[in-house]
Amino acid sequence: MKIENKLKDLLKGWNLMRILYLVMGVMMVVQAVQIHDWFVAIMGIALFSMGVFKMGCAGTKSCCNTSNTQTPQDKKETITFEEIK
């Protein structure tokens, strides 16, 4: 895959969660640099990268449940029981 295609993939599919991850990550890194707290900077970089690279709930839509897991009512099975002596 060419670099242009990878950049196009990063630029499309933006949603609210990706923007929030990106903004919160930048804010955390800026604050961490100001107060010299490098653990918070690492956490901010992690949030920032989640927003940029579509990781976590920001990109794969893995946090929403849209599938129908219920079985239809017309497919009922009859259960037969055997008596054990």
Side-chain angles (χ1 to χ4, degrees):
M1 190 180 247
K2 293 185 179 182
I3 294 175
E4 294 88 16
N5 291 340
K6 290 182 181 181
L7 288 175
K8 286 180 185 178
D9 286 341
L10 288 178
L11 295 176
K12 67 180 179 181
W14 284 87
N15 56 14
L16 180 63
M17 285 302 295
R18 280 185 77 182
I19 294 169
L20 284 175
Y21 281 149
L22 190 72
V23 170
M24 293 291 289
V26 169
M27 288 173 52
M28 284 179 72
V29 170
V30 168
Q31 288 293 318
V33 169
Q34 288 177 352
I35 62 172
H36 303 287
D37 189 358
W38 304 116
F39 179 73
V40 175
I42 292 170
M43 301 278 289
I45 291 170
L47 273 178
F48 178 79
S49 65
M50 286 173 68
V52 170
F53 299 115
K54 293 192 250 185
M55 295 186 299
C57 294
T60 60
K61 295 183 182 176
S62 61
C63 290
C64 62
N65 187 5
T66 59
S67 65
N68 187 5
T69 57
Q70 296 178 352
T71 58
Q73 295 298 327
D74 57 349
K75 291 187 178 180
K76 291 184 179 179
E77 295 180 16
T78 57
I79 301 173
T80 58
F81 294 98
E82 251 182 63
E83 187 175 336
I84 300 175
K85 294 182 180 183

